[in-house]
Amino acid sequence: MPRPVRWLLLNGVILPFRPRRSAEAYEKIWTDDGSPLTNHTGALAAGVGHQLGDRYVVRFGMRYQEPSLALALDELIDAGCERIVLVPLFPQYASASSGSALEAALAAAGQRWNVPNVSSIGDFYDDPLFLDAVAAVAAEPLAEFQPDHVLFSYHGLPESQILKSDPSGSWCLSTSSCCEVVGSVNRFCYRAQAHATTRGLIERLGLDPKDTSTAFQSRLAGQKWIEPYTDVEFQRLHGAGVRRLAVLTPSFTADCLETIEEIGIRGREQWETLGGDLLLVPCVNSHPLWAQGVADMVRRIA
């Protein structure tokens, strides 16, 4: 957005209202140990460190929370690391998530006078290491719950950001089938990558594609976001006769506000009001198979 418009949106709409609403939402999911996102990520870092062994130093940093990216990088540099591998924990690439985290991490590294070699791991939306871990976490809860339908709910993005990822300027969002395959023209399309993740998990979990769907959550007012919207999909599914709904959130590797509160609390309330039962399948969090998967990703380039 132009800077004046962005300033008006931030100071006139977001800051006067959103912090209070966010605080109320965080209060619902807060634990005695603090933020679930921080706790799960810290446990994952410990698990990855165990997998990699003593030759590696593993730290985690948060884009908007503590411990910060700058602190994590300082600890790695002060420990004498000769090479740093950045692992943005976003399975599907988006400039607003993966790109923003990499930008912030590299800017923090650039504040140091002596900087070791820095490399990064890219998206892993279709990486078997990630898909196998998600399937391992989901298999048992799904078998116990026996859902009528499985919904894969991903964080949303404005359509404008999807269109900017298309170098051709004519493929993304042009047809209803534009996300059925990922190729050179939509290599960095977040929506196409999300659908690819869904297809990979359907195969691994042995699901009937007719009993699954993909939707996008966490949209904000003011511009059009990618569809279908998760809350609207709830209504459609109930109208189609679904009563036992399982929801997976595979754009998140750790349970957080968007999974626990948005789906597990508000989404569940919406679904139960419609007259059904909802299962929120946990994220991979610090599952041993996922810790091993991250460690193996690091080994590939380290």
Side-chain angles (χ1 to χ4, degrees):
M1 294 181 181
R3 188 178 297 273
V5 177
R6 189 167 67 245
W7 186 93
L8 287 173
L9 177 64
L10 179 65
N11 293 280
V13 178
I14 297 176
L15 289 180
F17 305 104
R18 187 171 176 123
R20 177 178 56 81
R21 291 197 297 266
S22 296
E24 292 171 352
Y26 272 107
E27 187 176 7
K28 296 177 182 178
I29 70 167
W30 212 253
T31 71
D32 292 340
D33 296 323
S35 162
L37 175 61
T38 303
N39 294 337
H40 289 310
T41 309
L44 174 64
V48 173
H50 177 74
Q51 290 287 337
L52 289 173
D54 295 338
R55 290 184 56 244
Y56 293 80
V57 178
V58 180
R59 296 290 185 270
F60 76 99
M62 315 291 281
R63 180 70 175 87
Y64 300 107
Q65 300 182 39
E66 297 294 335
S68 67
L69 290 170
L71 175 62
L73 285 165
D74 283 346
E75 291 181 352
L76 293 176
I77 294 172
D78 291 344
C81 295
E82 297 179 356
R83 183 175 182 185
I84 294 176
V85 178
L86 304 175
V87 187
L89 290 172
F90 303 100
Q92 301 80 26
Y93 177 83
S95 180
S97 54
S98 312
S100 174
L102 285 173
E103 179 185 28
L106 292 172
Q111 298 300 310
R112 299 293 295 254
W113 188 259
N114 297 318
V115 182
N117 182 22
V118 179
S119 56
S120 65
I121 289 175
D123 51 53
F124 47 87
Y125 66 95
D126 64 346
D127 194 310
L129 298 171
F130 170 64
L131 295 176
D132 288 348
V134 176
V137 170
E140 185 175 342
L142 290 177
E144 292 180 356
F145 185 68
Q146 292 293 302
D148 303 329
H149 191 93
V150 177
L151 174 64
F152 296 90
S153 182
Y154 297 81
H155 200 292
L157 279 180
E159 283 193 354
S160 59
Q161 294 189 23
I162 300 298
L163 295 173
K164 287 176 68 174
S165 71
D166 178 2
S168 74
S170 60
W171 179 267
C172 286
L173 304 179
S174 61
T175 67
S176 60
S177 61
C178 63
C179 292
E180 289 183 358
V181 295
V182 177
S184 59
V185 72
N186 62 349
R187 168 65 183 84
F188 290 101
C189 174
Y190 173 86
R191 189 174 187 272
Q193 291 188 1
H195 279 279
T197 299
T198 293
R199 292 191 294 270
L201 291 174
I202 287 173
E203 178 182 357
R204 280 165 171 76
L205 291 167
L207 302 174
D208 187 335
K210 298 191 300 297
D211 296 327
T212 70
S213 57
T214 295
F216 300 89
Q217 63 185 82
S218 310
R219 70 187 185 277
L220 298 176
Q223 53 186 315
K224 188 174 182 181
W225 287 51
I226 50 178
E227 296 179 316
Y229 302 140
T230 296
D231 55 343
V232 176
E233 183 70 357
F234 277 9
Q235 299 172 20
R236 186 192 73 80
L237 290 173
H238 184 267
V242 174
R243 294 298 179 268
R244 295 181 66 78
L245 177 66
V247 182
L248 277 73
T249 54
S251 60
F252 304 93
T253 57
D255 279 306
C256 55
L257 190 71
E258 286 87 349
T259 65
I260 303 171
E261 193 274 336
E262 186 173 353
I263 301 298
I265 297 178
R266 281 189 286 140
R268 187 186 308 279
E269 290 173 353
Q270 178 189 356
W271 187 252
E272 291 179 347
T273 298
L274 292 171
D277 297 320
L278 184 143
L279 168 71
L280 172 61
V281 176
C283 293
V284 285
N285 292 319
S286 58
H287 189 280
L289 191 60
W290 177 227
Q292 179 182 331
V294 174
D296 288 346
M297 290 181 190
V298 171
R299 289 191 186 100
R300 287 176 184 170
I301 65 171

